[in-house]
Amino acid sequence: MADVYTVAKFQKYLLVLVLVNIFITLFVRSVPISLVMSIITMYFIYQIGTGLKMKYVWLWLVGMLIPLLSLILILVMNSKATSFIRKNGFTVGLLGAKITDIKAKLA
């Protein structure tokens, strides 16, 4: 059940980060900030992948280095995380599951 908490937490972080990254790309256009955001995104993908007990998570990280493929991988990982959280009995909204609901069920 702790894996559900980890996956839900990092899925929420990933979704918020994607929204912030879109804003920065459209309005700020700062390459160093985008690079930092990409590294953080890779960390979140790694955490979700390990929470899902996926083999070869490092291949996902290599794929994240390719621009268009990274967007597709983010969407696929989000879909896998959403399915995993729903399979464990939690509802998932636009920005992921409610972390407080998962914490309450774990306690």
Side-chain angles (χ1 to χ4, degrees), residues 79-97:
S79 176
K80 287 179 178 281
T82 299
S83 298
F84 178 74
I85 295 167
R86 283 187 179 149
K87 188 169 56 172
N88 282 285
F90 298 100
T91 58
V92 180
L94 185 62
L95 287 177

Side-chain angles (χ1 to χ4, degrees), residues 2-100:
D3 292 334
V4 176
Y5 175 74
T6 302
V7 170
K9 179 175 71 170
F10 283 105
Q11 181 193 31
K12 184 173 286 289
Y13 293 164
L14 179 67
L15 292 172
V16 169
L17 187 71
V18 166
L19 291 175
V20 170
N21 201 1
I22 290 170
F23 176 79
I24 288 175
T25 301
L26 291 176
F27 299 110
V28 178
R29 296 180 189 256
S30 173
V31 174
I33 294 174
S34 292
L35 182 62
V36 169
M37 300 285 272
S38 296
I39 292 169
I40 295 170
T41 302
M42 290 173 70
Y43 174 72
F44 291 162
I45 290 290
Y46 176 78
Q47 290 296 327
I48 293 170
T50 55
L52 292 173
K53 306 251 188 283
M54 296 174 62
K55 294 181 181 180
Y56 309 113
V57 177
W58 60 273
L59 281 176
W60 286 75
L61 299 179
V62 171
M64 291 295 294
L65 297 173
I66 302 168
L68 187 58
L69 182 61
S70 65
L71 180 61
I72 294 168
L73 291 177
I74 289 171
L75 293 172
V76 170
M77 185 64 79
N78 182 50
S79 176
K80 287 179 178 281
T82 299
S83 298
F84 178 74
I85 295 167
R86 283 187 179 149
K87 188 169 56 172
N88 282 285
F90 298 100
T91 58
V92 180
L94 185 62
L95 287 177
K98 289 186 179 177
I99 303 299
T100 54

